[in-house]
Amino acid sequence: MEAGTPNLVKLEDLEAQARRLTGRKHVLSIMVENRPGVLARIAGLFSRRGFNIDTLAVGPTEDPDVSRITLTLDGAVHPIDQVTKQLHKLVNVIKIRDMDPGETIAREMALFKVSAPIESRAEIMQFAEIFRAKIVDVSRRSLTIEVTGSADKIEAFERMIRPHGLIEMVRTGEVAIARSKSDN
């Protein structure tokens, strides 16, 4: 019970209320010069302002001198505008885009090592097929499965596979690109 209220507070109600407060997920695409220390400075900027980075992926672009940092965070806890202005001031930052989820293609990759005795192997392989996943390693006692897709798809696969005995899981974090504009 909450102090001062005669009614019981349900956990579901608190979670729903928290979701309303946090607003939309932000996917930031940050083009940076490919130099040592750039990632540390960017991550430090978010940390100092109290942001929690949900996912982070860094990789090269078509230009070997430029890397793309894709990070996701919940932006309504703190205003994101101030951080993006400060990011622009960093020497090695070339361009920043706060990508609209409706106009973005985002994918993540995950590897799941699952306990797979002979009697449940067929069912696990069927789940992999349903989710268009790939079995990338097989041993006598386990299967390692690669799943690529949206964060929701990966979380759904995890829920299906966990009861079989999830041994280990690793996720990349999202990478995102803007959808092409129609030629109309």
Side-chain angles (χ1 to χ4, degrees), residues 15 19 23-24 28 50-51 60 91 98 105 126 129 141 158 167 181:
E15 288 171 346
R19 278 192 294 277
R24 87 167 175 92
L28 295 181
F51 282 90
V91 175
D98 186 359
I105 300 167
Q126 200 170 26
E129 189 176 318
R141 296 189 178 136
E158 179 187 352
I167 298 168
K181 302 285 185 208

Side-chain angles (χ1 to χ4, degrees), residues 39-51 82-88 90:
L39 178 60
R41 285 193 298 279
I42 289 172
L45 189 108
F46 281 94
S47 175
R48 284 190 302 277
R49 276 140 195 87
F51 282 90
Q82 194 63 34
V83 175
T84 54
K85 286 176 187 171
Q86 291 170 343
L87 276 173
H88 277 292
L90 292 178

Side-chain angles (χ1 to χ4, degrees), residues 6 15 29 31 66 87-88 104 134 143 147 158 163 181-182:
E15 288 171 346
S29 174
M31 304 298 276
V66 176
L87 276 173
H88 277 292
T104 302
K134 296 178 194 164
L143 294 173
V147 181
E158 179 187 352
K181 302 285 185 208
S182 64

Side-chain angles (χ1 to χ4, degrees), residues 1 53 100:
M1 274 225 205
I53 296 172
D100 180 353

Side-chain angles (χ1 to χ4, degrees), residues 72-162:
T72 61
L73 48 97
D74 188 338
V77 175
H78 304 287
I80 197 161
D81 305 346
Q82 194 63 34
V83 175
T84 54
K85 286 176 187 171
Q86 291 170 343
L87 276 173
H88 277 292
K89 293 178 185 177
L90 292 178
V91 175
N92 303 110
V93 173
I94 299 166
K95 182 179 178 182
I96 304 164
R97 283 184 63 191
D98 186 359
M99 303 178 86
D100 180 353
E103 298 173 9
T104 302
I105 300 167
R107 295 290 182 267
E108 185 174 346
M109 196 265 291
L111 296 171
F112 295 88
K113 187 181 289 184
V114 183
S115 177
I118 299 298
E119 59 273 7
S120 64
R121 199 165 277 217
E123 185 179 12
I124 294 168
M125 291 171 79
Q126 200 170 26
F127 285 141
E129 189 176 318
I130 290 167
F131 282 83
R132 294 191 192 119
K134 296 178 194 164
I135 296 172
V136 293
D137 188 52
V138 179
S139 76
R140 288 182 48 174
R141 296 189 178 136
S142 68
L143 294 173
T144 301
I145 304 164
E146 174 188 317
V147 181
T148 305
S150 68
D152 289 342
K153 176 182 177 180
I154 290 171
E155 288 161 9
F157 183 78
E158 179 187 352
R159 283 192 302 275
M160 296 300 290
I161 215 75
R162 189 171 281 280

